Amino acid sequence: MNNPDWAVRIVAVPPGEAPLWVRQKWVGLDLPVIRYAAHRKLLAFGVLSRPRSRAAQWAAVFRGQAELVAGYAVEAAPAVGILAKASPEAAAWWRENTPHLIAPKRYLVFHEEVCRIADI
C-alpha cells in the first residue's frame, strides 16, 4: 500500500552493490515511500548478493547475512521507472542486472542518511 502524498528525496549517493555511476543517478530523485513516511529499521540484502528464494533469504537472516538498515523502502519497479526518466542508462543497468528485483512487491531500501522527506 503506497502513500501517494509522501516521498523521499535522495540527497546523497546511496551505499550499495550497484556501480557508483548507477548509484549517483538516484541523487535528486523523489521516490514514493511505502506505507509510512517515517523511516524504519529493515532487514536488507545487497542487490547483487541477495538470495533469490524466500527460504534462502530466511536462512541468510539466521546466519547473520542480512543487514539491519535504518531507512525507507520504496517499491522497486516504480522507482526504476522514475530513474529511467532521469537516466535511461542507469535504469537499464537495474533491469539487466537485477531483473528479479524489478517486479511487483519487491523493494529497494535507501539508508536514512541519504534521504529527506519530500512532500509530493
Side-chain angles (χ1 to χ4, degrees):
M1 169 124 79
N2 290 334
N3 180 347
D5 300 324
W6 290 95
V8 289
R9 177 166 295 140
I10 309 305
V11 296
V13 178
E17 295 179 339
L20 177 61
W21 72 269
V22 173
R23 292 182 285 122
Q24 289 172 328
K25 299 300 182 181
W26 290 111
V27 177
L29 299 182
D30 290 342
L31 305 174
V33 297
I34 61 162
R35 297 186 192 198
Y36 308 102
H39 80 277
R40 300 168 32 181
K41 291 201 176 193
L42 306 157
L43 286 173
F45 295 100
V47 297
L48 298 174
S49 61
R50 175 187 175 272
R52 299 282 173 111
S53 73
R54 294 252 181 205
Q57 289 173 21
W58 281 111
V61 167
F62 287 119
R63 288 191 304 269
Q65 296 173 324
E67 179 183 1
L68 188 60
V69 174
Y72 301 89
V74 300
E75 196 168 350
V80 171
I82 291 167
L83 178 63
K85 293 176 185 172
S87 175
E89 301 84 7
W93 183 92
W94 283 94
R95 291 182 180 122
E96 291 167 15
N97 293 281
T98 64
H100 56 285
L101 292 179
I102 314 305
K105 298 191 180 191
R106 300 287 185 190
Y107 304 95
L108 300 175
V109 176
F110 288 87
H111 291 67
E112 69 178 336
E113 63 267 14
V114 303
C115 298
R116 298 291 177 268
I117 295 294
D119 195 14
I120 57 172

